[in-house]
Amino acid sequence: MPIETDLASLIPHAGRMCLLDAVLAWDATTLHARSSSHALPDHPLRTAAGLHAVHLAEYGAQAMAVHGALRDRAQGINGVKPGRLVSLRDVLLAVEFVDPLAGSVDVHAECLYADDAGAQYAFRVEQGGRLLASGRAAVIHPSQPAPG
């Protein structure tokens, strides 16, 4: 049974750009989410050729954002924390395009480091146990100007 399915309330994306369907498991350092959005013909990142595997980095980034928001929520902090993806490293694309007929994709994120200023994560995206993409990503949380 999914732990969390209202993911749009956890990330700064809405509508079709909310790419993950459900969080299946998470703890202090990891998150496992599932998605079938890659198969949608009106996917916002899809071209006529299909969904290119490079876009799976966005799935990883959204898993990072969801994990951070769930960690914040567990500490009594609600709301969406703005973040900017600033780095992708060691990205491996094992396929060129995501197969829309091969079932849902599993998105895994592992927090390597996090503080109030940002976070670094490792991510991987699999389909039917087959690795599609993996890498590391860094996000910063811009400081908010003081009111007044």
Side-chain angles (χ1 to χ4, degrees):
M1 174 176 237
I3 292 173
E4 181 70 48
T5 56
D6 182 22
L7 304 183
S9 69
L10 299 174
I11 61 173
H13 291 69
R16 295 179 312 151
M17 265 313 288
C18 186
L19 302 176
L20 304 177
D21 296 333
V23 171
L24 303 181
W26 74 279
D27 60 29
T29 57
T30 64
L31 179 128
H32 175 195
R34 185 160 289 153
S35 178
S36 58
S37 67
H38 65 285
L40 297 173
D42 63 345
H43 190 290
L45 302 175
R46 181 185 206 94
T47 67
L51 181 66
H52 196 279
V54 74
H55 296 299
L56 295 175
E58 177 62 24
Y59 284 73
Q62 287 192 22
M64 293 168 48
V66 168
H67 184 257
L70 289 172
R71 285 177 35 160
D72 284 351
R73 184 190 287 174
Q75 296 175 15
I77 304 166
N78 291 311
V80 175
K81 185 186 298 183
R84 290 195 181 106
L85 186 65
V86 294
S87 171
L88 288 172
R89 297 188 183 271
D90 300 327
V91 174
L92 169 71
L93 303 178
V95 297
E96 187 173 0
F97 292 94
V98 182
D99 185 346
L101 303 176
S104 61
V105 295
D106 289 294
V107 184
H108 300 271
E110 177 185 4
C111 183
L112 305 173
Y113 175 82
D115 64 17
D116 289 340
Q120 293 186 25
Y121 278 79
F123 70 89
R124 74 182 190 282
V125 182
E126 302 171 340
Q127 189 175 42
R130 178 181 177 211
L131 179 67
L132 301 180
S134 64
R136 291 184 297 128
V139 64
I140 60 168
H141 302 295
S143 51
Q144 300 297 317

